[in-house]
Amino acid sequence: MMKNVISIKKIYQILAELEQTAIELDNSNSKLKAHVLLQDSPLFSIDLFSTNSDLFIDYVKEIKNKTAQLERLIKNTNDELSKYQIDILEKQITSLHNAFQSNSNIHNEAQNRLNAIKNQRYKKAVKAVIQPTKNLYQNLSEHHEFERRLSQMLHDKEQERIKAPKNTVDKLSQEVLALHQRLGRCRQAISKIEAEIVKFESRN
């Protein structure tokens, strides 16, 4: 029991550090013009976090809630569920830490996209040709296939991570995070294509 109490205390110490970093990054990101391209988009896939937000602090709150649940499970000596909850917390904390480190690169990419948008506004406007419904459905089908492959890759990588020796876990964790982010972006693209189909068909 004492070991578990110490472990919970350590998790809360880590959370305090994550919370401080999250607040600082969220405040810094809010001042960046490029952040407008990332607003209202989840930072992680739903397979990793149930939170849907572009703010780091919201994900820290979810981890806090899960830590409180773990504390209750330990008090009730529910070892099986405790181990499951610890595994989830480990994945979430590692992913959030990796996302902190990737924050600068993500916003640099967003800034490049924003610059491209601004440059287009100074050129002679060319009205976009609306894709025929057939092309939209083809695009949607391709994205669904991409989603299926990514989900399988993610599953395989998770299994590899579970069986991997300790010296390769960190590298595999980063690869898992990258796959979660790619899967999240793929699902966002699917939602956008579906919205375009609805919009197109409602005008015809």
Side-chain angles (χ1 to χ4, degrees):
M1 177 61 73
M2 181 58 69
K3 183 179 179 181
N4 287 331
V5 171
I6 293 173
S7 298
I8 288 292
K9 185 177 180 181
K10 186 175 180 180
I11 292 175
Y12 278 122
Q13 288 174 345
I14 293 171
L15 281 174
E17 296 174 4
L18 290 176
E19 184 173 31
Q20 183 61 37
T21 303
I23 292 171
E24 291 173 1
L25 287 176
D26 285 340
N27 182 53
S28 175
N29 289 341
S30 68
K31 298 175 183 177
L32 298 175
K33 292 181 179 178
H35 190 69
V36 69
L37 297 180
L38 304 173
Q39 282 181 338
D40 303 322
S41 296
L43 299 175
F44 304 93
S45 77
I46 196 170
D47 298 321
L48 187 62
F49 282 92
S50 59
T51 298
N52 188 333
S53 174
D54 60 294
L55 298 175
F56 285 123
I57 192 62
D58 291 337
Y59 296 94
V60 175
K61 289 176 181 177
E62 179 174 330
I63 297 175
K64 272 188 172 183
N65 290 335
K66 281 191 168 59
T67 302
Q69 292 173 7
L70 173 61
E71 194 169 11
R72 290 192 293 271
L73 289 171
I74 290 174
K75 287 179 180 178
N76 293 329
T77 63
N78 194 328
D79 293 338
E80 186 174 346
L81 284 177
S82 294
K83 289 178 182 178
Y84 175 74
Q85 193 79 336
I86 288 171
D87 184 57
I88 293 175
L89 283 169
E90 180 188 12
K91 290 177 182 177
Q92 290 187 328
I93 289 173
T94 299
S95 298
L96 188 58
H97 178 71
N98 290 339
F100 286 167
Q101 295 179 324
S102 303
N103 181 69
S104 179
N105 289 336
I106 291 171
H107 280 81
N108 285 339
E109 291 176 4
Q111 184 62 53
N112 290 336
R113 296 203 307 272
L114 187 62
N115 290 340
I117 292 171
K118 288 180 178 179
N119 289 336
Q120 288 176 3
R121 288 175 181 172
Y122 289 104
K123 295 177 181 179
K124 291 184 178 180
V126 178
K127 291 185 178 180
V129 177
I130 300 174
Q131 295 184 71
T133 305
K134 181 179 178 181
N135 289 349
L136 285 172
Y137 276 113
Q138 176 64 30
N139 196 9
L140 182 63
S141 176
E142 290 171 356
H143 275 77
H144 276 305
E145 175 59 21
F146 188 41
E147 178 190 32
R148 185 193 66 76
R149 292 202 306 261
L150 279 174
S151 295
Q152 184 60 50
M153 289 167 62
L154 181 58
H155 175 269
D156 293 344
K157 190 64 65 174
E158 285 280 14
Q159 294 301 310
E160 183 181 350
R161 178 182 173 278
I162 291 171
K163 300 174 184 177
K166 289 184 178 180
N167 63 335
T168 63
V169 167
D170 287 344
K171 179 177 179 296
L172 289 171
S173 293
Q174 291 194 4
E175 292 176 2
V176 167
L177 171 63
L179 285 171
H180 272 296
Q181 292 175 334
R182 288 177 64 189
L183 184 59
R185 289 194 293 270
C186 178
R187 287 171 174 166
Q188 287 178 35
I190 288 172
S191 296
K192 288 180 181 178
I193 296 170
E194 289 173 342
E196 286 179 20
I197 290 174
V198 171
K199 186 177 179 181
F200 182 87
E201 292 184 342
S202 67
R203 286 197 303 233
N204 293 278

